[in-house]
Amino acid sequence: MSVFDHPEFAEHEHVSFYHDKETGLKAIIAVHNTNLGPGLGGCRMFNYANSEDALTDVLRLSKGMTYKAAMAGLKQGGGKAVIFGDPRKDKTPEMMKAMGRFVDTFKGQYITAEDSGIAVSDICLMGESTEHVSGTFSKYSFDGSLADGNPAPATAYGVFVGIKAAVQHVFQSDLRGKKIAIKGIGHVGIRLAEHLSREGAILYVADIFPDGVNKAVAEFGATEVDVADIDSLDVDVFAPCALGNAINAQNIHSIKARIIAGAANNQLASSSIGEELTQRGILYAPDYVINAGGIIDIYHQRTDSNADKLRKHLNQIGETLTTIFAESDKSGHATAKVADKLAELKFK
Ligand code: NAD
């Protein structure tokens, strides 16, 4: 199938395929839209079953980055890169340097960063061949803690701010005594748990691995829940912080939470799920709005900014969501659809 006929093709500006014979690198970079600025987005390495799957991923993810950057108020567009291969077996330093050369061919219209399968050290290797890399250092953090380039603390703080805005909208209250279920206690989930517990929320946590769950139980008084039960728990907020497709045809009818607000990307299996949530009176915080803390952090590290400006920018996630919720109430449209429309007004 050609790129232009692909179902995920959405007026992308530039899609490029690259093969480096010496290192075996096979990669695709897609820049979706640069009206607001260069396309920023992570580089993912994954053992794709075929090139069709890789193309689908890079087209969908790069488009998502345009919407995320626009709604976060960044002078930045959307782009993404994918590398074919198993990051544990196939990755070599030479391959990462070759990837840097590929990134450089975009002359700054694509800026790369970490994503699944790609570590900060890999981005540093790419940085030997191109200056168009990000997320390799931090000048400051939003809360004064030691900054190490990891965007997860900023992402978690943004999700926390977003959950507060959603709870305020639905219950007209703060987080004290609110029951919140977190699915996925990884880099973001554990930090989110800390913020929420500090504000008096009652936490329920589930993960396929025990480390994060044990920490949340020991340090934040969370209750451990079976992974199979977390989606349908009788709580006020369900926070998906694991993988995509968290809300789907299989679980939508068993969700009891009044609010869905978490860090995971691509939470809704389809746009009709978003409509259904609205019809069922469940408030959904659009994923790319609430989880934009990481990209906001990277943006501030790249520009002339400071910790105070970064924190203020992260707090705006709550204000943006409040605007989306109000517009959804007024129009009856799903929050995800309202967010898309507002983003398009900014970048189109
Ligand atoms: P992570 O890999 O550190 O954590 C994800 C956790 O989810 C892991 O502990 C994993 O064991 C768990 N998990 C996986 N499948 C699960 C399942 N079926 N049920 C329960 N738990 C499961 O990733 P992260 O950095 O914490 O990111 C979490 C989510 O937020 C991801 O979807 C990511 O794409 C998204 N996100 C992260 C950032 C960031 O700055 N890290 C930014 C934007 C979006």
Side-chain angles (χ1 to χ4, degrees):
M1 180 183 289
S2 88
V3 173
F4 295 128
D5 300 326
H6 197 285
E8 297 291 342
F9 179 74
E11 297 178 344
H12 287 70
E13 286 177 15
H14 190 165
V15 181
S16 181
F17 296 72
Y18 193 78
H19 176 228
D20 182 68
K21 199 173 154 194
E22 263 176 37
T23 61
L25 171 68
K26 279 188 192 155
I28 312 174
I29 293 176
V31 172
H32 175 250
N33 187 288
T34 58
N35 286 351
L36 295 176
L40 172 67
C43 175
R44 175 173 289 189
M45 184 164 183
F46 187 73
N47 211 1
Y48 292 102
N50 50 55
S51 46
E52 175 65 29
D53 285 0
L55 181 60
T56 300
D57 219 20
V58 79
L59 291 175
R60 195 168 45 86
L61 292 166
S62 56
K63 178 183 167 194
M65 291 308 293
T66 301
Y67 283 75
K68 185 184 280 203
M71 282 310 279
L74 306 178
K75 293 190 192 84
Q76 202 82 67
K80 205 86 186 180
V82 295
I83 298 177
F84 296 64
D86 183 337
R88 281 155 302 177
K89 288 198 219 134
D90 303 329
K91 196 170 24 173
T92 63
E94 290 311 314
M95 182 188 273
M96 294 301 104
K97 289 180 200 172
M99 186 62 197
R101 292 195 290 279
F102 182 26
V103 170
D104 207 53
T105 63
F106 278 74
K107 296 186 167 67
Q109 284 302 88
Y110 170 63
I111 301 162
T112 199
E114 300 99 50
D115 199 290
S116 170
I118 292 293
V120 173
S121 53
D122 299 321
I123 299 293
C124 290
L125 286 166
M126 292 180 204
E128 292 183 20
S129 318
T130 180
E131 60 180 293
H132 305 298
V133 294
S134 62
T136 51
F137 70 96
S138 287
K139 290 181 275 190
Y140 39 74
S141 65
F142 69 92
D143 61 358
S145 65
L146 208 61
D148 64 356
N150 179 2
T155 303
Y157 180 72
V159 175
F160 162 66
V161 165
I163 289 177
K164 279 209 292 191
V167 166
Q168 184 61 40
H169 188 80
V170 171
F171 300 107
Q172 290 81 49
S173 79
D174 61 21
L175 296 179
R176 194 147 299 279
K178 287 284 169 286
K179 293 180 179 168
I180 302 181
I182 310 177
K183 181 179 189 175
I185 306 293
H187 290 106
V188 176
I190 193 67
R191 291 173 168 93
L192 174 63
E194 186 173 2
H195 287 299
L196 295 171
S197 81
R198 222 184 271 141
E199 299 248 334
I202 301 163
L203 301 180
Y204 301 85
V205 295
D207 198 299
I208 48 174
F209 292 111
D211 296 7
V213 168
N214 291 343
K215 187 173 157 74
V217 170
E219 294 183 21
F220 313 128
T223 301
E224 180 177 358
V225 177
D226 201 279
V227 168
D229 300 328
I230 191 90
D231 300 15
S232 57
L233 223 54
D234 193 1
V235 290
D236 300 302
V237 182
F238 174 41
C241 294
L243 304 177
N245 290 344
I247 317 298
N248 50 55
Q250 283 73 47
N251 68 2
I252 187 166
H253 295 291
S254 61
I255 288 172
K256 298 185 190 74
R258 288 283 310 280
I259 294 168
I260 296 172
N265 280 312
N266 303 317
Q267 285 174 36
L268 305 183
S270 69
S271 55
S272 64
I273 296 277
E275 306 286 348
E276 208 173 328
L277 289 174
T278 306
Q279 282 156 18
R280 292 193 53 209
I282 297 172
L283 185 71
Y284 167 66
D287 45 19
Y288 66 77
V289 181
I290 194 169
N291 74 14
I295 193 176
I296 291 172
D297 182 71
I298 286 174
Y299 182 82
H300 279 260
Q301 306 300 340
R302 288 177 56 80
T303 50
D304 183 24
S305 186
N306 57 46
D308 192 41
K309 283 187 195 169
L310 169 59
R311 191 180 178 90
K312 280 192 182 132
H313 203 152
L314 293 172
N315 283 329
Q316 278 172 17
I317 290 175
E319 291 150 33
T320 305
L321 284 170
T322 301
T323 305
I324 291 168
F325 298 155
E327 180 56 34
S328 169
D329 286 350
K330 206 166 84 185
S331 65
H333 292 311
T335 50
K337 196 170 170 185
V338 171
D340 284 357
K341 285 257 170 329
L342 290 173
E344 284 161 11
L345 282 175
K346 287 174 189 276
F347 76 78
K348 277 201 170 164

